[in-house]
Amino acid sequence: QKESQFSAIHHPSSIIHHEHIHNTLQTNCTMKDSAIKDREEKKRLKKEKKKEKKQKKERKKEKKEEKKSSKRKDRGDDGESKTFVGNGDCSSEIPKQKKLKCSESESGRENEEMIIDSCVGRSSGVTTNDVHVDVPRKKKITFPIKYILAPMVGASELPFRILCRKYGTQTAYTPMMNSHKFATDAKYRKDEFQTIPEDRPLVCHFSSNDPQDFVSAAKLVEDKCDAIDLNLGCPQRTAYLGHFGSYLLEPKDRQLICSIVRAAAKQITVPIFVKIRLLDTIDETIQLCRQLKDAGASLITIHARYRASFERKGPGARDGPAMLDQVLKVKQALLGGNGDDTNNDGDAIEFALITNGNVITYTDVVNNLNFTQAHGCMSAEGILDDPTLYLPQLGSVDEDGKKIIDIPIPSPLPNSMNSNGSESCHGPQYKKERKLKKKLREIEKLEKKAQNNNNGETVLSKEEKDKIALKEGLQKELLDIEKEEQLQKKSQPKPHEKDSTILEPNSSNNELLTSRAQVTPKYEKIPLHQLHNMANDKLSLAVEYLNLTRQYPTKLRTVVFHTRRMLKQLLNQYQLMEECISSKSVDDILNVIQKLRKYDKDPSLFVFDKEKQQKDKEAMDRKRREEGKRKAYEARMTRKAKREGRDDLEYYLRQGAKVPTVTEVEKLKKLSREDQMQCWKDSDHSQHCLAFHVGCCKRDRSCAFLHSDALGENSFQEMDEVAG
């Protein structure tokens, strides 16, 4: 069998057959090899094309960066030597070939290879391989920062600052001021910024998204305050639309906010502070604080709640308790775990961290400082309800019954500041002058309209012709007013004879302010037990605040706001809250306080009104329904933007969100239905129910539109206007 098998395999015919199979296999292999080579060649070509595209993109980016850097040089943001900030987010100014390695074992950073800008702040300047890092020199904090009044729009004005200082507040912030308006508009400066020699230490609080605006505004007040603060924490809807506050905490704006702080730290003589909110993760918050510190910030206040979104969903702008554990982690990352000097006695300190949030009582203040190990505590909501929040830090009556406290006596407000937006700001004829100028501008438009007519024939109506005929009379009136103003200016004393502590309304933008340090504050001695007795009487405290508002003119709605916050419990108890809110003057508010005092002394004089209680309950229920409808509307509009593929998911939320005013509603009631609808849309009120304002909405609870009350003179939208 073996022999027969061998002979069969080696038979000539079988050998030829095997050779044929071998040849076909070889040809198949060669074909496969060529196909594989073709595929590899195609892949190689694709890779080369991708590389070319990447190189083109990188070239474009480099060109854009070069243009940006040249623009910054033109604006004067950077000097001859460039400054770099951050852990890589702001390093786009450094060419790739000049990135350096540096280890940061001191601060415990995770990445050992960092660009040179992450080392900024360790020394005054580093030069390596033609790269010069010019570090902004921090100004030391030489005033106490342990007990701080927060910046609040329409709430941290001069009278309230003086009241809080008397009862233990060490440092106070001004309300938020727009840096661009402050730098360019003298009237805005005069309306928004009031101060006196006793108003120290003072931090001027600005919103900004431009380095030059921030520096220009800061220069105008740097000798009137002790520090300048950049607002990076405001959650208002206006902050979203104006692109400032907490909406600048996006990664895309990191280089911008660092450049704002850096420019101010270089050019301003007082320390630069920053107020921020928490980012999405603790690592991001720590990185942000490091970058701001390296850019030149001497103090960072952390409001321990997450930065706001336009919809305000989830644990955002004001939802839930503050997360103070994250403040502790930031403190440990930036300054170590050891409790540093709290600077209570005003000792110089290079960098400080302040905690903000979860403060109602002084016990909360003490607990927060112990837990976070921060240098100081800032309060907004707590101190609005109780301006004497920090009084226990001066001492307890039980401890020392004979202790005497020096209280600064508030000096009169200078003539140049004694207006705060009233008519006297520009003289008694100011309003009349504005109206005349407005009418003359309208006449000029009508004249141009007649001249630009192609046929040469006037197309003006009879009313428009009558307006043009009044031109000469209006011009004469305007000239008479200007002559009166010139005579008044001549009769006024010279500038050096005035006690000026703020900008004159007609002064230029680069004017210099007289330093307030030239004026020595006066003090009065008050026993500590007497101060405690005054603080325990809420009605007397409110009257004291009202007296300060008479001395330092304040907007009425701000006065109403503070009164209802300080006396909230009594106003609700004796059903006088609505009467307080509808007050037309300070005297009206005093009358309400007198009623409260009468009822508080003898509660039997008060008669409970059930009908009034029912109305208040209905108003509260309506407010809750509005809040629910608002959330549902926001969800629908966000889904709509997603369906349409919009990158901006909040596009529809900004359309028609403006709340109408009482005057607008009164004008609408006189119009026809069609005109009302058109005017309503043009005025950006389309999210609100027109029928609710001009008549009666039949749909009531089922209405999809908002039923918000129209804004009056004393309306104060607390959730939208109190920044912090």
Side-chain angles (χ1 to χ4, degrees), residues 21-31:
I21 292 170
H22 179 71
N23 292 333
T24 53
L25 286 172
Q26 275 190 337
T27 54
N28 289 336
C29 288
T30 53
M31 287 173 69

Side-chain angles (χ1 to χ4, degrees), residues 395-406:
S396 173
V397 178
D398 298 331
E399 290 176 3
D400 193 352
K402 296 181 180 180
K403 190 173 183 180
I404 304 296
I405 303 296
D406 289 331

